[in-house]
Amino acid sequence: MDSQPPRERKSTFGASMRAVFWSFFGVRKRRDYDRDAASLNPVHVILAGLLGALIFVGVLILVVRLVVP
């Protein structure tokens, strides 16, 4: 059997954005959460979270402006 430790994957910013997107909805599978926790770059996650929050607030402002004349 191969007793080498698992190779650490380099994650992309897109993978961090996907993880943050699903986290906003709170529907992450435990397996996916564990994999992300082991492989995602914390700086990418912070930037993705900030970007996701800005997009969310922007959409809310847009909806309010469309509904309220």
Side-chain angles (χ1 to χ4, degrees), residues 8-50:
E8 186 175 328
R9 294 186 318 152
K10 295 289 183 185
S11 66
T12 63
F13 186 71
S16 296
M17 282 299 294
R18 257 190 316 278
V20 168
F21 173 77
W22 285 114
S23 296
F24 269 41
F25 291 108
V27 291
R28 297 288 290 162
K29 293 181 182 177
R30 178 71 169 174
R31 179 191 61 196
D32 293 338
Y33 172 78
D34 291 338
R35 185 183 65 224
D36 289 344
S39 67
L40 291 179
N41 182 344
V43 175
H44 286 175
V45 174
I46 292 169
L47 292 175
L50 291 173

